[in-house]
Every structure is written in C-alpha cells, then in structure tokens.
Amino acid sequence: MTIPPRLVPLLEQFDFARERLVNRLKGPVMDSGNGTDVVVGPITDDEYLWEPVADCWSVRRRADGPGPRATVLAGTGAWGRDTTPPPHPEPAPFTTLAWRLSHLIEMFTLRTDHTVGGHSLTRDDFRSRGDAASAVTDFEAATDGWRKALLSVTDADLDTVGFSTYPHGSDPENPFLDIVWWMNQELLHHGAEIALLRDLHRARGGGR
C-alpha cells in the first residue's frame, strides 16, 4: 500500500524519535545528535523507579497503594501508575521515568486499538510494568503496533475526523492527521524527559 505523501515526513519523524529513544534505553550505543555514537548501558530497575524528588508519582505495586497525592493506581495487574480522577493536583507531581514510559506505552497501545483494533481497550485494561526490561519490551511492541496502524491508512483517512476513537484525547474532534502529529510530539517530548532522567541518575552516581 502506498504511503500518503502527507504522512511520509511524520512517519520519518516517528521512526527517528522511536529509534533514538529505544537506543537510549537499551544501548549499547546511541546517536549523540551529530551522528557520533555514544556508549550507553541498558536502563536498570533502579533508574526506572528512581524518585529524584519528594512526592513523585511513579509505577507502584498495587499491594502498596498509590503514592503521595495520588488516589488511584491506574490499570490492572500487580503494578499500577499513580493518578487521580480529574482535576489533577496543582502543582503537578514530578513523575518518574517509569511513570513517563508507562504513559507512552498506554497511549500507543490504546490509540492503536481505537484506530485499527477492536475500539474497546480502556485504561483499566492496561498493565504497567515493575521492571525496566519488560517496560522497554512493551514500548517497542506498542510503537510497532502504532506504526503498522499508520501504514494501513489512506489519504482520505488522514482527513477523517474521529478516525481514531481514543476516548481520552481530542480524537473525536480532530482529523486523524492531527492525531498522528500529536503522537509524534508526545514521543519527542517524553522521550527527551526520559533521556534527561537517565543523565541525572548517572550524574547522581558520579558517572561521566
């Protein structure tokens, strides 16, 4: 199937951001931004769950209950992500690398389902992971699914309002092309946050 020309640059941007984040999380090297490879080790569980400041929101064992200022551990399974029903606390809690990666995985998983799947998954169905390796595997699977969904759309689909029925965003009001752009910026800005948290964790330990 021919990729709609308007989708090509967004797909290239997605591929670049996804590859860069996966390499930043897994190693053994990552692109520094100027084409130079920088050695980086795989993310550890300590980094994944590190709370750099007090009262962080994170991913927690369901048996331990939600963290500070959270009232719910979202999802299903043994681990959940700190949250509250709207309105959320102000100022917003600082979120861990685990929280941010779980957030990305959930968005890609649910949006894929509400675009080309059964249009039935909810946040209650989502499973956060308590270890870094499983979360990275889930991230790769979720973004692979989204990419396959994008390859199946037509040019007319890109203009269709409500083509994605994801219930937690602006999908019912916006053409699908805008949703694709939005998912790219989610990947770009949360990916940058995750990379920075890895750098801060390394610096805290005295590494260079």
Side-chain angles (χ1 to χ4, degrees), residues 3-125:
I3 301 173
R6 292 180 293 163
L7 183 58
V8 170
L10 289 173
L11 192 60
E12 291 175 347
Q13 184 185 58
F14 170 82
D15 287 342
F16 172 81
R18 178 190 182 277
E19 180 181 15
R20 198 168 189 191
L21 180 53
V22 169
N23 289 343
R24 188 69 179 85
L25 291 169
K26 294 177 66 174
V29 296
M30 60 165 287
D31 184 345
S32 67
N34 62 5
T36 303
D37 284 342
V38 176
V39 175
V40 59
I43 184 174
T44 65
D45 290 347
D46 184 62
E47 289 177 270
Y48 179 66
L49 295 171
W50 177 48
E51 298 190 18
V53 298
D55 298 336
C56 281
W57 275 9
S58 190
V59 168
R60 306 184 190 279
R61 293 184 188 275
R62 198 166 301 280
D64 295 335
R69 293 200 291 158
T71 59
V72 177
L73 286 175
T76 189
W79 293 76
R81 191 174 69 245
D82 283 326
T83 190
T84 65
H88 299 305
E90 290 290 346
F94 191 91
T95 54
T96 64
L97 191 156
W99 194 102
R100 296 169 200 236
L101 190 55
S102 173
H103 170 61
L104 279 176
I105 298 165
E106 181 194 87
M107 278 196 304
F108 280 110
T109 300
L110 267 64
R111 263 210 171 88
T112 299
D113 176 72
H114 285 271
T115 302
V116 296
H119 298 258
S120 61
L121 290 182
T122 72
R123 287 175 172 172
D124 292 339
D125 300 312

